[in-house]
Amino acid sequence: MLYLPKKLFLFLSCIVMLSVNYNNSASVTAANSIGLNYGLLGDNLPSPSNVINLYKSIGITKIRIFDPNTEVLNALRGHRDIEVTVGVKDQDLAALAASEEAVKGWFAANIESYLADVNIAFITIGNEVIPGPIGPQVLPVMQSLTNLVKSRNLPILISTVVAMSNLEQSYPPSAGMFTSQAREQLVPVLKLLSQTSTPILVNIYPYFPYASDPVNIPLNYATFNTEAILVQDGPLGYSNMFEAIFDAFVWAMEKEGVKDLPMVVSETGWPSAGNGNFTTPDIASTYNRNFVRHIASGKGTPKRPNKGIDGFLFATFNENQKPVGTEQNFGLYNPSDMKPIYKLF
């Protein structure tokens, strides 16, 4: 029996009704809708079919999985109202980067059989591997998969997921710039994406800078919980850290000649336990609730006003096979009984 607060259902349903789908035609329009990350690093998780029922119960129409898990994809058959982002495993990148035929084989084995009855919207090449030792493998795999879906006229977007470790500087936002390794590995990817206005997927976690410097970073600023401008950056004023980080990445892209490229927030969230008073259910619910409201508002950021943001909360469940501590406590639901860990609304 699922415990689903009526207010949560109504709120998320309203957000979903604002959704504007991506397409492979000319340009991509940002959507004002919330998705959920569906991680599988737990030994007590509900069955995929029960999880899909949960998503439908609360009006979620977009999910992200980290690899082409057959149980999850099979459970999604017939549920074309749910858009799915599917990840390519990091450990698969080396073989795929070496051979276009390997990419075709991966697609045939992992995606092909689901095209008719699963709504696969994105395939992401690796998760936070740029910048890093296998970062250079992303571009050739992305190019091969892009060519494949384009040749077959499939409405699937090909991108990658990156963390804010690509930024050498992020404060103030207008000073945002990439590291030298990011310029080498990420910028060519961004330029490929810009040819079709395909979004880059970014993970943004204000929790981590707050937890590392709570003396100088106000909690209200980190959790969207104040309207006061706390960072003035020329003509742009910031009342929350999320927007400041987002815009720092935008500024960094512009300095590399990449302008107006859409960004999807593939992960954000706040742990409800694992680091003392920094990670309480109350703080986690405050951050996630305010993030949902921010997305629903469609107001964008100071650098990109009135351009709605498409975002995914991390994560659906607490996952007990992740590293002990905060990593196990980003979930919205307990896996054992599928009850909310805290009341969002």
Side-chain angles (χ1 to χ4, degrees):
M1 189 72 169
L2 301 181
Y3 173 74
L4 302 170
K6 186 176 180 182
K7 289 183 179 179
L8 174 58
F9 169 77
L10 293 174
F11 196 86
L12 291 174
S13 296
C14 289
I15 295 168
V16 169
M17 286 190 289
L18 292 170
S19 177
V20 181
N21 291 338
Y22 291 110
N23 61 72
N24 249 347
S25 55
S27 61
V28 175
T29 303
N32 309 112
S33 60
I34 286 290
L36 288 182
N37 282 272
Y38 180 7
L40 296 169
L41 295 179
D43 60 12
N44 59 346
L45 298 174
S47 69
S49 60
N50 283 341
V51 177
I52 302 310
N53 289 337
L54 168 63
Y55 291 144
K56 294 176 82 73
S57 298
I58 60 176
I60 290 296
T61 59
K62 288 190 292 194
I63 67 170
R64 174 180 171 229
I65 58 177
F66 294 81
D67 61 79
N69 181 279
T70 54
E71 288 187 37
V72 173
L73 290 171
N74 281 326
L76 284 161
R77 289 187 186 276
H79 299 292
R80 291 193 59 84
D81 53 329
I82 298 178
E83 290 185 2
V84 186
T85 295
V86 180
V88 177
K89 293 180 182 179
D90 298 350
Q91 57 265 40
D92 291 342
L93 294 184
L96 297 178
S99 165
E100 192 162 333
E101 288 303 311
V103 170
K104 292 177 181 178
W106 180 91
F107 190 89
N110 295 285
I111 302 296
E112 186 75 45
S113 65
Y114 301 104
L115 292 176
D117 50 5
V118 178
N119 185 4
I120 297 175
F122 275 89
I123 297 174
T124 55
I125 315 303
N127 184 40
E128 296 188 346
V129 299
I130 295 176
I134 64 173
Q137 297 167 1
V138 170
L139 184 61
V141 180
M142 182 180 294
Q143 183 69 72
S144 294
L145 267 177
T146 299
N147 291 342
L148 189 157
V149 298
K150 184 177 180 181
S151 69
R152 296 181 52 182
N153 199 31
L154 296 172
I156 299 174
L157 300 176
I158 310 300
S159 189
T160 191
V161 177
V162 297
M164 292 303 105
S165 55
N166 283 279
L167 293 174
E168 180 174 302
Q169 189 167 339
S170 61
Y171 182 86
S174 63
M177 61 181 294
F178 292 132
T179 66
S180 59
Q181 193 174 36
R183 285 196 294 274
E184 178 184 331
Q185 297 180 7
L186 179 59
V187 171
V189 167
L190 296 173
K191 292 187 174 179
L192 174 63
L193 293 172
S194 67
Q195 293 175 13
T196 54
S197 292
T198 299
I200 181 70
L201 279 69
V202 296
N203 294 344
I204 298 178
Y205 285 98
Y207 162 73
F208 291 108
Y210 167 74
S212 68
D213 191 12
V215 172
N216 293 307
I217 299 175
L219 179 60
N220 283 345
Y221 179 68
T223 58
F224 297 92
N225 216 28
T226 178
E227 296 295 326
I229 300 301
L230 299 184
V231 172
Q232 190 68 44
D233 185 10
L236 304 180
Y238 292 87
S239 62
N240 65 81
M241 179 174 281
F242 172 87
E243 289 183 339
I245 297 172
F246 187 102
D247 281 357
F249 197 92
V250 174
W251 279 104
M253 289 196 296
E254 290 190 357
K255 287 169 185 170
E256 302 299 330
V258 178
K259 296 186 177 181
D260 301 319
L261 184 68
M263 288 167 54
V264 168
V265 179
S266 40
E267 293 179 27
T268 194
W270 198 286
S272 61
N275 190 17
N277 292 333
F278 296 161
T279 53
T280 67
D282 182 61
I283 297 174
S285 65
T286 297
Y287 177 83
N288 286 330
R289 179 181 66 246
N290 289 337
F291 175 74
V292 169
R293 288 175 173 169
H294 187 282
I295 296 300
S297 74
K299 73 176 186 177
T301 68
K303 175 71 170 162
R304 289 183 170 179
N306 304 315
K307 292 185 179 180
I309 298 170
D310 197 1
F312 291 75
L313 281 173
F314 186 89
T316 305
F317 299 107
N318 280 344
E319 299 170 61
N320 65 5
Q321 292 178 329
K322 299 193 81 169
V324 174
T326 57
E327 288 294 311
Q328 292 189 356
N329 291 285
F330 274 90
L332 301 179
Y333 293 88
N334 281 307
S336 57
D337 56 12
M338 299 180 73
K339 288 184 179 180
I341 291 167
Y342 45 79
K343 187 175 180 180
L344 272 181
F345 309 103

